[in-house]
Amino acid sequence: MQDTNDSSLKNDSYRILSPTAILGYGFSAASFDAAMALELDLIAVDAGSMDAGPYYLGTSSQYVGKAALERDLSFMVNGALQQNCPMVVGSAGFSGASPAMDEVVDIIKSTLKSAGVDETKLAVIKSDIAPQALLTAVDKLEALGKMPELEPAMLEKSALVGQMGMEPIIAALEAGAQFVVCGRAYDPAVFAADPVRKGFPIGAALHAGKILECGAIACEPGSGSDCLVAELYADGRAEFFAPNENRKATIKSISAHTLYEKSRPDIFYLPGGMLDIRATEFYAVDEHKAGFKGSQFIPMPYSIKIEGSASMGTRCLSVAFAKTDDLDAEGVIIYGVNGIEENPPPEGVHEIGILCEVKGNNQQQTKDALAFLRSTLLHFGYEGRISTAGNLAFPFSPSDFIFGNSNDGFTGFFISGTRDPIFQKNIEQSFESVLDALHNQHPKLAANCNIEFHIGTKDKPLLLIENQTENLDKAIQANAATMQNLESSLDTEKPIYKGVDGGTAYHWSVHHLLKEEKIIEKLFPIDVLQLKQNDWVSIGTLSTDYSQQFQDTQTLPTLNTEPAPLLAQNTALKLNNSATLQELASVVRSKNAGINELTFDVLFKSEEAYQAALRSGVFSREAIAQLFQIQSEEVIGTYRYDPVRAIKFTLIRPLVSGAKGERDVFGAQQHARLLGLQIPIE
């Protein structure tokens, strides 16, 4: 599939609504209604990720609550009917695996029935892969980053999905489907497929999809629970704005999200090619609207990412608060000291722990309320926020734990930590705003659940004891012994949970590329369902024709994929006059780039500050390695990206995300040690 710039398009613009960062994260009804006042060509949403760890694929579990899914899909389905436009859901069920994906399909069917629809088409594209289908190619699967050697026995133990590109979605739309539900999908593909099908340039469509994938996170102030609109043009431009007038799409906000979760700032690899933004220009349209032009798609030999999760034993945990920081606490994670990393950063970086506790008489409502609070607090946009990748570090996958029974009621909680000083200053207001959002979007959950947030500090820390073994009884015994040693130190006026069964723990077993054409062409079957007079009938199962994509790469020229310049060490500058990075930057954040890399983005407030940082040598490979106390070869690269005054660097993760011993599954709270860096100012 070659990039196009078709000036003969019947309509030279195409408008897309992304209602939220992840299906179930919610959005303002007023924002959605404002978007409905426009003429839309597509409503699309990304519903999943690897970010929250391997549990959700291993168990095919939802990451968000059922009530949240039903609410978001009700708005979207009825919006697509009102606009008479396609609706596409990617990575349905969060991991993209069945049966969680099937739950999304059932909600859409139910919503269409409630809307009184007599006739429509729904396409369901599965991404599940039987391990036997890959056994003949196990030696040819290429690890993406640092992964253990993949053995056939581990492959057979794994739950597997493939990450589809645009092609199956295009085939479903060509078959006349108005509603398309995809298993695991490349995030931008769900936004790009239909405009590409209609002739809009591929590079612009994919780049727009990259910005749209997280909704209003790409705005100022950012939020994972609000809407974003993109307008594509036949000449390769794309422009963005938020229906919520309190948010702005700016050069900084859309360019920052372009770099989000990627190892390098200029080239992004994807199914069938790469997105090249080395010549991309970002521009402002007005105070609330910004855009880009010049992004290019370059075909490459077709490949599919395979993701796999396998079990690794059972987990038992206990949670309590201590009266004092004077603890003999071997084997205990202490939030306020070392909750986010085993080896905490230097003095001056303060940490707090957060326990969110939900109690209710209904298990599903308790679970749904907890999930909404966790996801909303994770991405809540507060005044002065510069860490736009996430406010919390979660130690576990899953992050939420629910226990109890119908007689005594149900309790749910999650544990997390933060080192962000700006978030800490705004934390009480953030709690209040998140609770307000629950009341506004899910009043029944708010009315039927009792919710409390508890904070642990260095002086009175939050304690977490986790044991993981093949045998649950052994995990419980080890956990109880540690708790017994701490009894006299515990604060009995705050919640104490002992010996909570954390269920089966999982790890990422597969994170590899598949390039075998004969296997790829058999993946992602498309089941097209026809609704007629209240009955759903399958009218056929389609497969995707990749022949053009395979042919496009047979005569490719040699690709120039040289990275942006590495930043060099500079030992000559002295700190006669300096400022901290927190003073000079508008964005400082950390985030997973896949499951085994951690990437950092710094966007500067001014050209002077950017040039000072480039001269300083603070971001050289050697300086970064010293700051994070790692070997220089563990720094994959440090890059400059001049179009938006950004510096990016990427590290090899010490542990694969969600592995045993992990303390920040999303990687979103590793940026704090950067904030106090001194940048010489000439």
Side-chain angles (χ1 to χ4, degrees):
M1 185 180 292
Q2 301 286 348
D3 211 339
T4 59
N5 188 353
D6 188 352
S7 59
S8 65
L9 291 170
K10 291 182 180 179
N11 298 309
D12 67 354
S13 65
Y14 187 99
R15 187 178 284 147
I16 307 169
L17 169 64
S18 171
T20 186
I22 285 181
L23 183 67
Y25 270 22
F27 43 82
S28 159
S31 292
F32 193 88
D33 289 345
M36 286 299 102
L38 306 169
E39 290 186 9
L40 300 176
D41 297 289
L42 172 67
I43 300 173
V45 69
D46 174 33
S49 173
M50 298 182 80
D51 278 342
Y55 172 84
Y56 301 94
L57 174 56
T59 59
S60 188
S61 299
Q62 301 286 359
Y63 181 65
V64 298
K66 184 178 181 182
L69 286 174
E70 290 174 339
R71 176 194 181 272
D72 287 6
L73 285 169
S74 176
F75 276 93
M76 291 178 61
V77 168
N78 284 287
L81 293 172
Q82 175 184 330
Q83 294 281 342
N84 192 28
C85 72
M87 186 192 92
V88 181
V89 179
S91 298
F94 194 68
S95 68
S98 301
M101 176 193 175
D102 300 327
E103 294 172 9
V104 175
V105 174
D106 289 342
I107 293 171
I108 292 173
K109 288 180 177 179
S110 176
T111 305
L112 287 167
K113 181 178 180 181
S114 297
V117 176
D118 293 325
E119 187 169 342
T120 191
K121 284 184 181 179
L122 165 67
V124 180
I125 311 175
K126 296 279 188 175
S127 61
D128 307 86
I129 302 175
Q132 292 74 16
L134 298 179
L135 286 176
T136 58
V138 66
D139 294 335
K140 297 179 182 178
L141 294 175
E142 297 180 11
L144 286 162
K146 187 178 180 181
M147 292 291 292
E149 185 175 350
L150 182 60
E151 300 288 346
M154 181 56 69
L155 189 70
E156 291 183 285
K157 287 172 56 178
S158 301
L160 300 168
V161 290
Q163 189 189 65
M164 71 184 77
M166 294 183 292
E167 292 79 10
I169 304 171
I170 290 173
L173 293 166
E174 289 286 351
Q178 181 177 7
F179 299 91
V180 181
V181 183
C182 310
R184 187 72 172 110
Y186 177 61
D187 297 353
V190 301
F191 304 96
D194 193 49
V196 167
R197 177 175 80 98
K198 293 183 175 178
F200 286 84
I202 303 173
L206 285 167
H207 188 174
K210 175 71 186 73
I211 294 169
L212 286 165
E213 64 179 352
C214 287
I217 286 181
C219 293
E220 296 179 13
S223 172
S225 302
D226 210 348
C227 306
L228 182 66
V229 173
E231 295 172 339
L232 307 185
Y233 296 92
D235 62 4
R237 290 177 295 129
E239 296 176 353
F240 304 82
F241 64 92
N244 182 342
E245 293 183 355
N246 294 321
R247 305 191 191 281
K248 301 177 181 179
T250 66
I251 292 176
K252 186 193 82 175
S253 68
I254 67 169
S255 61
H257 202 75
T258 298
L259 308 182
Y260 189 58
E261 301 177 321
K262 297 299 180 184
S263 296
R264 53 186 283 179
D266 52 355
I267 289 176
F268 312 138
Y269 294 96
L270 54 104
M274 70 179 190
L275 176 64
D276 185 350
I277 66 165
R278 286 174 290 188
T280 299
E281 298 177 30
F282 296 90
Y283 59 90
V285 178
D286 56 37
E287 186 181 0
H288 287 267
K289 190 174 186 179
F292 68 76
K293 59 183 179 180
S295 301
Q296 294 294 317
F297 171 76
I298 301 175
M300 294 179 66
Y302 211 92
S303 62
I304 292 292
K305 185 172 73 161
I306 308 297
E307 301 166 0
S309 173
S311 62
M312 59 173 181
T314 60
R315 173 183 288 137
C316 176
L317 56 96
S318 295
V319 180
F321 286 83
K323 300 174 185 176
T324 173
D325 62 344
D326 184 18
L327 295 172
D328 181 14
E330 183 177 350
V332 179
I333 297 175
I334 306 174
Y335 279 96
V337 179
N338 64 357
I340 294 173
E341 279 183 282
E342 186 174 358
N343 299 311
E347 288 295 324
V349 177
H350 300 290
E351 175 180 291
I352 65 171
I354 300 169
L355 174 68
C356 176
E357 183 184 49
V358 178
K359 293 183 178 180
N361 294 322
N362 179 284
Q363 186 176 22
Q364 187 64 52
Q365 288 182 341
T366 304
K367 179 180 178 181
D368 287 357
L370 183 66
F372 181 88
L373 294 166
R374 176 249 301 145
S375 60
T376 307
L377 187 61
L378 172 64
H379 292 297
F380 182 72
Y382 48 86
E383 187 68 29
R385 186 185 189 207
I386 64 173
S387 175
T388 56
N391 302 320
L392 305 173
F394 298 106
F396 299 130
S397 174
S399 51
D400 302 354
F401 298 92
I402 309 287
F403 56 93
N405 56 60
S406 55
N407 294 325
D408 300 324
F410 297 91
T411 296
F413 65 81
F414 68 77
I415 311 110
S416 63
T418 178
R419 288 203 189 121
D420 192 301
I422 308 172
F423 180 51
Q424 291 178 26
K425 289 179 182 178
N426 288 272
I427 197 161
E428 294 295 344
Q429 182 182 349
S430 297
F431 289 161
E432 291 177 10
S433 297
V434 169
L435 289 172
D436 286 344
L438 180 68
H439 280 272
N440 292 334
Q441 296 187 31
H442 301 284
K444 184 181 290 187
L445 297 183
N448 293 337
C449 294
N450 182 49
I451 299 159
E452 290 190 72
F453 289 100
H454 306 275
I455 293 177
T457 64
K458 185 177 185 300
D459 294 332
K460 294 186 177 181
L462 169 63
L463 307 180
L464 172 61
I465 300 97
E466 186 229 358
N467 295 92
Q468 191 182 117
T469 68
E470 291 295 325
N471 183 290
L472 180 58
D473 290 337
K474 290 183 179 179
I476 292 172
Q477 291 170 10
N479 201 271
T482 303
M483 280 295 287
Q484 187 174 6
N485 292 334
L486 293 168
E487 287 288 348
S488 62
S489 302
L490 301 184
D491 184 349
T492 56
E493 295 183 0
K494 289 192 174 183
I496 298 176
Y497 296 112
K498 297 182 180 181
V500 177
D501 180 359
T504 304
Y506 290 83
H507 68 105
W508 290 118
S509 53
V510 184
H511 188 236
H512 291 67
L513 276 184
L514 169 69
K515 296 183 177 179
E516 299 299 298
E517 294 179 4
K518 291 183 179 180
I519 299 177
I520 291 173
E521 61 190 8
K522 294 178 182 178
L523 301 179
F524 314 123
I526 306 162
D527 190 14
V528 182
L529 307 174
Q530 175 83 53
L531 175 63
K532 282 191 174 182
Q533 298 179 343
N534 226 18
D535 287 328
W536 288 98
V537 179
S538 176
I539 59 175
T541 300
L542 310 175
S543 57
T544 303
D545 182 3
Y546 289 97
S547 58
Q548 184 62 51
Q549 282 71 38
F550 295 155
Q551 182 178 346
D552 283 346
T553 59
Q554 291 178 359
T555 58
L556 282 178
T558 302
L559 298 176
N560 173 20
T561 57
E562 286 297 313
L566 287 174
L567 302 184
Q569 190 172 21
N570 187 344
T571 58
L573 289 175
K574 296 182 180 180
L575 298 177
N576 294 328
N577 187 21
S578 66
T580 65
L581 190 64
Q582 184 173 338
E583 294 171 318
L584 299 178
S586 55
V587 171
V588 182
R589 67 185 180 203
S590 63
K591 187 65 166 64
N592 291 343
I595 62 174
N596 44 28
E597 296 177 359
L598 188 66
T599 194
F600 296 75
D601 299 327
V602 182
L603 277 70
F604 290 87
K605 295 177 181 177
S606 68
E607 183 65 23
E608 293 76 16
Y610 178 50
Q611 293 301 326
L614 292 175
R615 290 192 302 268
S616 71
V618 166
F619 293 98
S620 69
R621 174 178 268 127
E622 296 81 4
I624 292 299
Q626 183 176 359
L627 179 66
F628 284 87
Q629 299 175 310
I630 58 178
Q631 300 299 314
S632 60
E633 55 267 25
E634 296 177 80
V635 182
I636 296 173
T638 61
Y639 311 109
R640 59 187 291 170
Y641 189 61
D642 294 339
V644 291
R645 301 194 299 261
I647 291 176
K648 172 185 275 287
F649 62 91
T650 302
L651 314 179
I652 296 174
R653 254 181 167 275
L655 293 170
V656 172
S657 173
K660 184 178 180 179
E662 171 61 59
R663 302 192 186 191
D664 187 0
V665 174
F666 285 80
Q669 284 295 302
Q670 303 302 305
H671 67 289
R673 66 177 70 205
L674 296 174
L675 298 176
L677 285 176
Q678 295 289 327
I679 308 296
I681 305 294
E682 292 184 351

